[in-house]
Amino acid sequence: MRILILGSGAREHAIVDALLAEDAGHEIVVAPGNAGIAAQVETLAMDPTDGVLVADYARDHRIDLVVVGPEAPLVAGVADPIRRHGIPVFGPDRAAAALEGSKAFAKRIMEAAGVPTGRSVHASALDEVAAALDDLGAPHVVKADGLAAGKGVIVTDDRDAALSHAEHYLQQGGVLIEEFLSGPEVSLFFFADGHDVLPLSPAQDYKRVGDGDTGANTGGMGAYSPLPWLDHDFGSEAAFVDEVRRTIALPTIRALEAEGTPFRGLLYCGLVLTPQGIRVIEFNARFGDPETQVVLPRLRTPLSELLLASAEGRLGGMPDPEFSDDVSVIVVLASEGYPENPLTGRELSGVGAPLPAGVTITHAATARVGDRLLTTGGRVLGVVATGTAFATARAAAYTALDGIGLEGGHYRHDIAERVS
Ligand code: AMP
Ligand code: GLY
């Protein structure tokens, strides 16, 4: 297949790796990509949010499938003109991508679908925020309604901090005050074709910047998959996945279909396992990053077939994707100052060195300038280790990280510790 992938992060790098691992002779182009992706496949300097440009390119180059990686192009509507050209595209149209782009829209769909989530109030003025904070009580959860690149959510006991966070985002279209949900978080992805869904294997993300879940929220500092403790809580991973499919993913996709906004792409269910049951904390309209980097190495079913079947509305009747029994761990290396003010343009060393078996590096924000590899963003790269046991996989990931140099670079030291 000729596959065009939009995006420039480690998630897109992991998608490329998974497609190459099929050994099916796919021709892959990534726009715009990064230094790690460019070392493996063709990259192209094209604005991934410009739908008309992308659609014209895909038609002119006889692309068989377009895969949209990040949320910004989806929310901007990149998929719409591609689909109008009759080209299969993995990623929802703008109207359905509002499931991620607007927390208020997501809450409305969840209500229509009867999906379990926290109580919430949408506020567009500060006095409404204050009343909702008092009504729902501490800890306070305030969320920007629109996209905020991982910075839109604050969870705090400090009422004044909650108010000032809300004040900032009120100017950008409103906020959601939500009931605090307590329990372990799970990321579970589903392929969706507008009507049917197929599940991937669950992962856990580490959102806070510091060890022991301290410090600011980030886009994700590490992840692991699968989650062995689900066996204890739910009997088996399959039982857990099945409950989420039945009570969350399928009703959501059917509610979107009923509204005339069919969702074809990746439904990311961000879940909290509360003592009262599973609750949705957020939906995203694309693969999670860094969770994808630990889920796809375990996928045994060819990824290209699942992406294309989702884009073409053919998931119904297909068997569930198969996963290996291997475990996978990713540790993310971030720039000095991330997430508040990442310092970029610094040189990385040691990235080209030979890696132990089962270890790969997914690039997130890198560019090659001459023979130097420079950082271009906050999350720089992730070291992914896949193997038969968490203890050895995480040790391999940290050993490989020791060999990488970046002034001011930092990473968490406790990724997958609880399962090792
Ligand atoms: P989100 O961007 O909605 O995923 O929120 C980022 C992080 O904030 C989540 O991964 C949770 O750790 C935390 N969070 C969001 N909503 C809640 C909530 N209602 N209760 C507790 N923590 C939350
Ligand atoms: N890792 C969280 C996300 O992809 O939104």
Side-chain angles (χ1 to χ4, degrees):
M1 262 195 264
R2 293 169 68 84
I3 305 172
L4 170 63
I5 300 169
L6 303 180
S8 63
R11 158 186 50 218
E12 288 75 29
H13 196 171
I15 292 171
V16 167
D17 280 344
L19 291 171
L20 291 176
E22 287 177 24
D23 230 351
H26 298 309
E27 289 175 46
I28 300 172
V29 185
V30 184
N34 59 40
I37 294 171
Q40 283 168 288
V41 297
E42 184 185 344
T43 57
L44 183 71
M46 180 165 64
D47 176 1
T49 62
D50 187 334
V52 173
L53 196 70
V54 174
D56 285 347
Y57 176 91
R59 186 195 52 208
D60 295 347
H61 292 78
R62 300 188 318 282
I63 296 292
D64 300 306
L65 171 68
V66 180
V67 181
V68 187
E71 61 275 19
L74 291 167
V75 172
V78 73
D80 301 50
I82 304 171
R83 210 163 258 131
R84 273 202 302 277
H85 274 49
I87 298 163
V89 50
F90 184 84
D93 287 347
R94 179 154 80 148
L99 198 63
E100 173 163 6
S102 164
K103 303 235 183 236
F105 178 81
K107 283 287 184 189
R108 192 169 64 67
I109 292 295
M110 283 188 253
E111 200 177 321
V115 163
T117 183
R119 281 196 302 141
S120 68
V121 175
H122 187 265
S124 41
L126 209 54
D127 57 339
E128 293 168 21
V129 173
L133 291 176
D134 296 336
D135 179 30
L136 293 169
H140 302 297
V141 181
V142 180
K143 302 183 169 186
D145 188 21
L147 288 188
K151 293 186 189 157
V153 177
I154 190 173
V155 180
T156 178
D157 283 320
D158 180 344
R159 190 172 177 277
D160 290 337
L163 276 172
S164 76
H165 184 82
E167 197 168 11
H168 177 77
Y169 285 104
L170 277 174
Q171 290 146 19
Q172 298 170 31
V175 296
L176 211 76
I177 319 302
E178 194 170 58
E179 165 194 9
F180 177 79
L181 299 168
S182 172
E185 290 184 37
V186 174
S187 303
L188 181 56
F189 307 157
F190 290 83
F191 294 104
D193 70 354
H195 184 73
D196 285 307
V197 298
L198 289 182
L200 286 93
S201 179
Q204 188 161 56
D205 182 18
Y206 289 72
K207 287 253 163 68
R208 301 293 189 111
V209 71
D211 289 355
D213 294 330
T214 54
N217 258 322
T218 70
M221 294 296 292
Y224 64 90
S225 174
L227 311 181
W229 42 270
L230 284 174
D231 293 359
H232 176 263
D233 294 357
F234 289 85
S236 68
E237 174 180 314
F240 169 77
V241 168
D242 212 57
E243 180 173 338
V244 179
R245 181 200 326 233
R246 212 166 22 79
T247 63
I248 294 171
L250 199 55
T252 299
I253 293 303
R254 295 287 165 90
L256 285 163
E257 184 183 29
E259 295 228 344
T261 53
F263 186 105
R264 301 185 196 91
L266 197 287
L267 177 66
Y268 170 129
C269 300
L271 308 166
V272 183
L273 313 188
T274 77
Q276 291 75 38
I278 305 172
R279 298 283 182 275
V280 175
I281 215 163
E282 66 165 343
F283 282 133
N284 292 319
R286 37 83 195 167
F287 282 104
D289 186 340
E291 298 96 312
T292 299
Q293 292 91 300
V294 289
V295 171
L296 292 187
R298 304 184 44 243
L299 178 66
R300 286 287 160 269
T301 309
L303 176 63
S304 63
E305 290 175 15
L306 293 160
L307 298 172
L308 188 64
S310 303
E312 294 184 335
R314 291 190 285 103
L315 290 181
M318 275 175 75
D320 284 1
E322 285 179 26
F323 286 85
S324 77
D325 292 333
D326 281 348
V327 305
S328 198
V329 177
I330 180 169
V331 184
V332 172
L333 174 65
S335 294
E336 180 175 351
Y338 178 79
E340 288 87 4
N341 282 304
L343 299 175
T344 61
R346 290 204 168 144
E347 184 164 5
L348 283 155
S349 63
V351 174
L355 294 165
V359 177
T360 58
I361 292 178
T362 49
H363 288 234
T366 60
R368 196 160 281 288
V369 178
D371 58 0
R372 300 166 71 210
L373 188 64
L374 302 182
T375 62
T376 61
R379 288 188 294 172
V380 174
L381 56 79
V383 177
V384 183
T386 304
T388 52
F390 278 115
T392 44
R394 86 182 279 273
Y398 281 112
T399 303
L401 259 175
D402 281 345
I404 296 175
L406 171 64
E407 186 192 342
H410 59 98
Y411 55 85
R412 279 183 65 157
H413 302 83
D414 59 350
I415 306 298
E417 196 169 47
R418 64 172 294 201
V419 289
S420 298

